[in-house]
Amino acid sequence: YRFRRGNLTHTLLQYLPHIAPPNREERGAQFLNLQAQDIPEHIRTEILHETIQVMNHSEFSKIFAAGSKAEIPITGLLPSGEIISGQIDRLLINDKEILIIDYKSNRPAAKTAADIPPQYTQQMRAYYTAMQEAYPPHKIRCALLWTQTCTLMEVPL
């Protein structure tokens, strides 16, 4: 269920922020009961509670606030000449700063930045480079949001 769990969590984190907070748990359960009938109920419940916990975390209020964007397609040309194409899970842009967030539902979650798998760092570096081309005056930060531990970890680039 590892990949399904991640996909379902991503989908919930994309759509539930648009639902009024008192209705999120009910709507999330409805979604999981329809879209994940093949997954045992206790795992669906874990997915929903983990997602709601992330969304309700006080430190993440800006991430899920109005004005933040979900599932943003990105393409760009890296200095190496390589073309990248990807999807940013959550994006916050203001006048001076951009925050690129990628959700990770891996188990176990990385405990420190040194534990971040190299492919995640490469992914975030590519997103950083593409956004730097599009928004040269902005300070750009990249972070991983580990859903299991409800931790936002800045990626050193």
Side-chain angles (χ1 to χ4, degrees):
Y1 301 116
R2 188 174 76 166
F3 292 110
R4 289 268 290 138
R5 178 184 206 115
N7 290 337
L8 292 165
T9 300
H10 272 71
T11 301
L12 289 170
L13 288 170
Q14 179 180 355
Y15 291 108
L16 285 182
H18 303 290
I19 306 295
N23 301 327
R24 288 177 179 166
E25 193 158 344
E26 179 184 347
R27 296 287 293 277
Q30 289 171 349
F31 169 79
L32 290 171
N33 290 336
L34 287 172
Q35 300 297 319
Q37 294 174 359
D38 58 316
I39 295 178
E41 184 177 352
H42 75 279
I43 294 177
R44 292 193 310 259
T45 301
E46 282 177 15
I47 292 168
L48 181 59
H49 287 171
E50 184 175 288
T51 303
I52 297 292
Q53 179 182 356
V54 166
M55 291 179 53
N56 289 342
H57 196 287
S58 61
E59 289 182 34
F60 305 152
S61 60
K62 288 182 183 177
I63 293 171
F64 298 105
S68 67
K69 301 189 181 331
E71 300 299 323
I72 303 301
I74 185 168
T75 57
L77 183 63
L78 300 180
S80 65
E82 182 181 0
I83 296 173
I84 65 143
S85 178
Q87 191 133 319
I88 295 174
D89 292 337
R90 203 84 189 176
L91 181 66
L92 285 79
I93 300 176
N94 66 30
D95 293 341
K96 297 178 184 179
E97 188 175 78
I98 294 172
L99 178 58
I100 299 168
I101 298 166
D102 198 64
Y103 307 135
K104 297 299 179 194
S105 56
N106 302 37
R107 283 160 164 58
K111 290 185 172 125
T112 68
D115 298 330
I116 296 172
Q119 66 269 27
Y120 295 165
T121 302
Q122 291 168 353
Q123 172 192 14
M124 297 307 273
R125 188 175 293 121
Y127 291 171
Y128 173 90
T129 302
M131 292 302 280
Q132 198 173 40
E133 290 288 320
Y135 295 88
H138 285 67
K139 176 183 179 186
I140 300 169
R141 296 174 32 234
C142 298
L144 301 175
L145 199 162
W146 299 97
T147 60
Q148 180 194 21
T149 57
C150 210
T151 305
L152 188 65
M153 183 180 293
E154 194 134 352
V155 178
L157 299 173

